Amino acid sequence: MHILVIGGAGYIGSHVVKALMKANHKVSVFDNLSSGLESNLFAQNKFIKADILDYAALKNALLEKVDAVVHLAAKKAVGESMQKPEMYALNNISGTINILNAMAGTGVKNLVFSSSAAVYGNPQYVPIDEKHPLNPLSFYGFTKQDIENYMRWYEQLKGLRFVSLRYFNAVGYDEEGIVHGLEKNPQNLLPIMMEAILGKRPKLQIFGHDYDTKDGTCIRDYIHVTDLASAHVKALEFLHQGGDSQILNLGTEKGFSVLEMVQATQKVTGRNVPYEFAARRPGDPAIILASAKKARQILNWEPTHSQLENIISSTWNAYQKSSL
Ligand code: UD1
């Protein structure tokens, strides 16, 4: 298949591109490089440097005999989405409407979309399955929920077929070290720990240690990007074989606390992670855990790279490479 990966120069996108190439698909990348990196591009793929708000550019890209689209081009900083909802509405929602319209206008039917566990909000039960009520706590999460609704309508009205993948906590780097571009301004736990080890920031602040969990710190479901990437390949193949639209959680169904992550990082890197306890971060639920049963059944997918050691060592390798 010829796949157009929109946002293919980003952190998750570049891993998806690599997995698609490995599965012998032809790939073109569409990215405005606002957060994606030129160094994440593969020389053999066509690269279109353009914005998803540019309808003509999208249409031209799709007219190159594209069989399916993977859309990962979105702003994803939760805090920023609450400060600048206009920017998130424009980029995430209007940008996706442009993609859906360009697909409808060119007859490209199959779409794999990057959604997020942020659509669920505070869990009413764990593990969270896809039937869990949706109540996003951030505007970012709302944009993902809203886009899923558009996709459902375009399915009904325009013959779109989609797989929406709700990622839990995406972590890790390509273990082969081919994709190793670091995210600009990372906001998540693992990159922050790496920066604390390397002295790029004074300390990790652990947000809250009085949660009702085994050690008082929050528990999350950390899934390796290589496992996320393989789910995209399988989702595209599923749609290609005539599968119907799906919304699927992607997680490992195992949880680790922040302190467990710190301890494992110290063990794997052999370095001290300087940290201090700080106040709870607003909107952080104590425990988030996926049920990924549906993805396992429908896509015949299994996470095989998400052992903590792999997650941490691959991240550490990417950070060490970048500080050479
Ligand atoms: C966040 C988003 C989520 C998004 C996901 C992937 C929130 C509330 N949720 O998940 O919507 O889909 O990223 O981008 O922002 N932590 C610290 N200190 C830090 C950073 C994090 O203690 O400096 C803790 C957090 O409290 C949390 C865990 O580490 O318990 C993971 O945090 P993070 O990597 O930011 O991801 P989430 O907040 O779980």
Side-chain angles (χ1 to χ4, degrees), residues 76 78-79 116-119 137-138 140-141 167-170 187-192 201 204-208 211 217-220 222 258 281-286 288:
K76 67 168 183 89
V78 172
S116 168
V119 297
L137 300 174
S138 64
Y140 160 72
Y167 312 151
F168 281 64
N169 288 62
Q187 313 266 341
N188 298 103
L189 176 64
L190 255 286
I192 289 173
R201 60 171 75 219
L204 161 72
Q205 291 198 310
I206 296 184
F207 299 140
Y211 284 98
T217 64
C218 291
I219 293 177
R220 294 288 181 273
Y222 295 94
V258 179
R281 182 172 66 178
D284 255 350
I288 300 182

Side-chain angles (χ1 to χ4, degrees), residues 112-117 120 128-130 148 162-168 228 231-232 234-235 238 244-251 290-301:
V112 173
F113 174 68
S114 300
S115 188
S116 168
Y120 296 115
I128 299 174
D129 57 23
E130 293 82 355
E148 289 186 348
F162 67 90
V163 176
S164 186
L165 298 172
R166 291 177 177 165
Y167 312 151
F168 281 64
L228 291 182
H232 291 71
K234 285 181 179 268
F238 172 81
D244 50 359
S245 298
Q246 299 289 340
I247 294 182
L248 304 172
N249 285 343
L250 295 180
S291 163
K293 193 172 159 196
K294 209 174 154 194
R296 283 193 274 112
Q297 285 175 344
I298 288 176
L299 299 182
N300 190 23
W301 168 83

